[in-house]
Amino acid sequence: MLILGIETSCDETGVALFDDGLGLLAHVLFSQIDMHADYGGVVPELASRDHVRKLLPLCDQVLASAGKTRADIDGIAYTAGPGLVGALMVGGSVAHALGFALGIPVLGVHHMEGHLLAPMLEDNPPEFPFVALLVSGGHTQLVKVDGIGEYQMLGESVDDAAGEAFDKTAKMLGLDYPGGPRVAALAEKGREGQYRFPRPMTDRPGLDFSFSGLKTFTLNTVNAARDKGALDDQVRADIALAFETAVVDTLTIKCRRALEQTGCKRLVIAGGVSANKRLRAGLEKMAAKTRGSVFYARPEFCTDNGAMIAYAGTQRLKAGQRDGERIVSVPRWPMNTLPPVHEPRAN
Ligand code: ATP
Ligand code: MG
Ligand code: FE
């Protein structure tokens, strides 16, 4: 079964081909980051228009690189939400038009389920059940995962997402969007112990997060240094390191709690922030103490991509799930409302 996956929820056009027997055959990605850079963030209308320009050529490109034609495709999966409604509509329209023309099933997939399942594309994929930490530009969530579509929300951010906090900190430090990788690179040059940032909501029970206070703390620290005329490259690096360490510590404390609470040994991290090296190292150190293990995708599959949508769509299309005639786009869509996919279990 060969599935074409299409991702257009935000500012990345991603397309991939996944074969349920052979695995991932090919994937391509076009990032619109340069186009939005002049505006300091994603401009929704520009994003939609660029998806229109890029999507069909990328579909042809991914087919060519796998040595396939449209006639070989058995089904199409596209991101139906959450995301920017105009951007989502582009992926949904192309998926449904192609599916109608080819007479094959089409399915709208949940973007965060895509992120969550991306580590399944790697060697040594995690077995169910596990705890997943979803850390992206728009989400920070802890989820107990018993199977595909069997999601129990354990906790989430009450305000900003972790990725958003990275992006805003980057802006305060004069770095470009997307800020996560740039803050991480700057932090490499930071000196430890120069600043101590808070670990929000770790001093009380529960698995929710809050990152907006940390953002304010960064702003105050940057402003204080600037007022003293001390905001040079070294101090900016020190601040980046203190911020990153605080985020990593906070996420690690909550992950440890979630593993204890659920009795799980396996932790999956997914979404753009899961590419962060300090986070991976911190979680691995924590998990090693309890003989647990941490799973994540290669960096290019942590951020938005078509491969994760092709993979998630394949699992659901295989189980017979498909759209009706209508294009589905759901800008806001809680993941725990998804239907389960019961894998036939071998005895
Ligand atoms: P969502 O998936 O919630 O809809 P999104 O699709 O915009 O949001 P992703 O593409 O998963 O988010 O991830 C992008 C985010 O990941 C950005 O906030 C970016 O700064 C952050 N990010 C990427 N790489 C790193 C890194 N190495 N360290 C920290 N943050 C990172
Ligand atoms: Mg993105
Ligand atoms: Fe995403």
Side-chain angles (χ1 to χ4, degrees):
M1 193 183 200
L2 185 67
I3 304 299
L4 179 76
I6 295 175
E7 157 62 38
T8 64
S9 69
C10 189
D11 59 344
E12 252 107 26
T13 321
V15 186
L17 276 174
F18 187 85
D19 180 289
D20 68 334
L22 301 172
L24 186 67
L25 299 189
H27 68 99
V28 288
L29 184 85
F30 179 82
S31 173
Q32 306 175 351
I33 281 171
D34 292 344
M35 187 180 80
H36 299 289
D38 293 346
Y39 305 91
V42 179
V43 184
E45 182 59 24
L46 294 183
S48 313
R49 290 179 192 207
D50 206 54
H51 288 307
V52 172
R53 271 190 293 271
K54 300 291 176 0
L55 186 49
L56 277 171
L58 286 171
C59 290
D60 290 337
Q61 193 185 324
V62 85
L63 284 165
S65 69
K68 302 284 182 189
T69 69
R70 286 185 188 177
D72 295 318
I73 308 170
D74 298 306
I76 304 177
Y78 64 95
T79 302
L84 302 169
V85 68
L88 293 169
M89 284 300 293
V90 177
S93 306
V94 168
H96 270 264
L98 277 177
F100 182 71
L102 297 168
I104 55 176
V106 177
L107 181 68
V109 167
H110 196 287
H111 180 78
M112 296 313 294
E113 178 171 77
H115 277 304
L116 168 67
L117 298 177
M120 301 288 187
L121 290 162
E122 306 301 343
D123 298 337
N124 183 29
E127 278 173 35
F128 301 112
F130 54 75
V131 167
L133 172 71
L134 299 178
V135 268
S136 58
H139 296 80
T140 306
Q141 296 177 328
L142 272 165
V143 190
K144 165 91 188 299
V145 180
D146 289 306
I148 298 176
E150 297 172 54
Y151 307 134
Q152 187 196 334
M153 214 49 75
L154 302 172
E156 62 188 324
S157 178
V158 298
D159 42 55
D160 293 355
E164 199 178 345
F166 266 100
D167 295 334
K168 287 176 177 167
T169 291
K171 218 173 214 175
M172 294 174 212
L173 293 171
L175 304 169
D176 287 337
Y177 178 86
R182 294 185 166 93
V183 169
L186 184 61
E188 289 290 313
K189 299 179 202 115
R191 297 167 299 180
E192 287 196 27
Q194 295 296 310
Y195 294 95
R196 169 83 190 172
F197 279 46
R199 274 69 174 148
M201 292 178 79
T202 53
D203 56 351
R204 62 185 106 153
L207 294 170
D208 285 339
F209 305 89
S210 165
F211 289 106
S212 85
L214 201 50
K215 176 183 69 188
T216 311
F217 198 91
T218 308
L219 184 64
N220 292 340
T221 308
V222 169
N223 285 341
R226 187 180 288 122
D227 290 348
K228 279 196 289 178
L231 193 64
D232 58 12
D233 286 349
Q234 183 59 60
V235 167
R236 285 166 61 247
D238 295 341
I239 294 172
L241 177 61
F243 166 81
E244 185 180 42
T245 308
V247 173
V248 168
D249 277 1
T250 305
L251 293 173
T252 304
I253 290 166
K254 298 285 164 131
C255 284
R256 188 178 61 216
R257 248 182 232 177
L259 291 172
E260 281 165 7
Q261 188 176 310
T262 57
C264 284
K265 289 280 182 202
R266 288 176 290 270
L267 175 69
V268 167
I269 53 172
V273 182
S274 70
N276 187 276
K277 287 196 195 122
R278 211 175 289 274
L279 177 62
R280 291 176 172 199
L283 291 173
E284 271 164 352
K285 199 170 150 200
M286 177 273 290
K289 286 185 193 150
T290 54
R291 295 170 163 272
S293 30
V294 185
F295 300 82
Y296 41 76
R298 72 195 82 165
E300 62 181 323
F301 291 165
C302 290
T303 44
D304 293 349
N305 65 87
M308 67 186 196
I309 302 304
Y311 179 85
T314 300
Q315 311 315 310
R316 291 187 172 277
L317 284 160
K318 255 184 10 187
Q321 296 182 18
R322 54 213 53 204
D323 283 2
E325 283 177 7
R326 293 173 72 107
I327 299 164
V328 182
S329 43
V330 197
R332 286 171 185 277
W333 189 6
M335 198 174 66
N336 54 3
T337 61
L338 291 175
V341 173
H342 295 291
E343 286 274 298
R345 284 177 216 262
N347 288 311

